[in-house]
Amino acid sequence: MIHYPFGIQIDKTKKEETNKNSFKNRGLSLESLLNEANSYYVNSNKALIYKKPTPIQVVRINKENIITEAYFKSPSTTDYNGIYKGKYIDYEAKETKSKTSFSLNNIKNHQINHLFNVTKHGGISFIIVYFTSLDEIYIYPSSSLTKIIEANKKSISIDEFKANGYKVELTLTPKLDYLKIIDQIYF
Amino acid sequence: MIHYPFGIQIDKTKKEETNKNSFKNRGLSLESLLNEANSYYVNSNKALIYKKPTPIQVVRINKENIITEAYFKSPSTTDYNGIYKGKYIDYEAKETKSKTSFSLNNIKNHQINHLFNVTKHGGISFIIVYFTSLDEIYIYPSSSLTKIIEANKKSISIDEFKANGYKVELTLTPKLDYLKIIDQIYF
């Protein structure tokens, strides 16, 4: 029995769990990984990136200011945005169970257009996709996404992610240090 | 009787209503003015600036996916952000009925810190305040706000807005063309 930091105890006899480079074994969602990374970046003055709240249409509020009727709305833009090294940064995060491809049905057309617009305005934009069954996370830049859309493709294959995307490996603090990849691509 | 564009008819005998430079007479909120301006900027490819959704904690959802219990949460950052001329832009919008000053109780401490952080990271940040009783709207940059906070002041006087802020005049399209002022201050 080895004592890991943060009180995590891992039984070395279970081989799967000893794989340190596994997001899956830690049971973490992409959203929780990104939130942890973004909090770390804000606290260490590295970047200011926040998740936008889910848009909700409030219909009824009672006397105690509790919302008693409301509806989920479709977001007008993407999930995350902010500033990094003086540059505007904007991205959409998605998970897929597929082992072979990421379907573009998972992203709304106007969100894709928004990502393209960000690039036109001089910002950094991309999608970040977590293939949960493969236990792999990729950053896929808008510049590559443009080609997919122009070719009228409805999905992005895992081979395309391997070829033109950037795999983000699990690290210690933060677990998903994705700005390291952004440095490689854009700086 | 003069026929104005957009079918607005104004009786010249009523002096108040003939004042074209009045936001008040048009019954417009600062939020609706900003939303109109930001839509105009997006549609004309001038900037990508959006209002963040109000953060809501969803507690209960029924079978029809209708939210039946939820609570308003305190926002972690500011109301608006985006990209303009390649620069990250971030601001908080507030209305006040006061004719003499804007109380800083209207803005949370962590929102003020967020504005300061944006400046540190090389972005543009400010507050925009609508004095509804005076019918005047001012942009007040974070660089001036820093001095107010450092001097331990709890409010910003209207004279201070006139001295170190920038008045935004009502125009035709969009009605609140505030990026014109941003050009003056930052570009």
Side-chain angles (χ1 to χ4, degrees), chain B residues 48-65:
Chain B
L48 298 176
I49 301 164
Y50 290 89
K51 185 176 190 295
K52 291 187 189 175
T54 306
I56 289 170
Q57 178 76 46
V58 175
V59 174
R60 214 182 296 268
I61 305 169
N62 71 12
K63 284 174 191 168
E64 288 82 37
N65 210 31

Side-chain angles (χ1 to χ4, degrees), chain A residues 75-93:
Chain A
S76 18
T77 59
T78 45
D79 276 349
Y80 298 85
N81 77 351
I83 183 169
Y84 176 52
K85 290 188 176 174
K87 281 247 191 192
Y88 177 77
I89 186 165
D90 193 306
Y91 59 92
E92 184 67 18

Side-chain angles (χ1 to χ4, degrees), chain A residues 41-42 45-48 50-56 58 61 65-72 76-77 81-89 114 117-124, chain B residues 41-42 45-48 50-56 58 61 65-72 76-77 81-89 114 117-124:
Chain A
Y41 295 146
V42 169
N45 289 315
K46 197 174 162 73
L48 298 176
Y50 290 89
K51 184 175 191 295
K52 290 186 189 176
T54 306
I56 288 170
V58 175
I61 305 169
N65 210 33
I66 300 167
I67 299 159
T68 56
E69 187 185 344
Y71 299 85
F72 290 105
S76 18
T77 59
N81 77 351
I83 183 169
Y84 176 52
K85 290 188 176 174
K87 281 247 191 192
Y88 177 77
I89 186 165
H114 174 74
N117 279 337
V118 168
T119 305
K120 275 183 213 150
H121 281 267
I124 294 168
Chain B
Y41 295 145
V42 169
N45 289 315
K46 199 174 160 75
L48 298 176
Y50 290 89
K51 185 176 190 295
K52 291 187 189 175
T54 306
I56 289 170
V58 175
I61 305 169
N65 210 31
I66 299 167
I67 299 158
T68 56
E69 187 185 343
Y71 299 84
F72 290 105
S76 19
T77 58
N81 77 350
I83 183 170
Y84 176 51
K85 291 188 175 171
K87 281 245 188 195
Y88 177 77
I89 186 166
H114 174 74
N117 279 337
V118 168
T119 305
K120 274 182 215 152
H121 281 268
I124 294 169

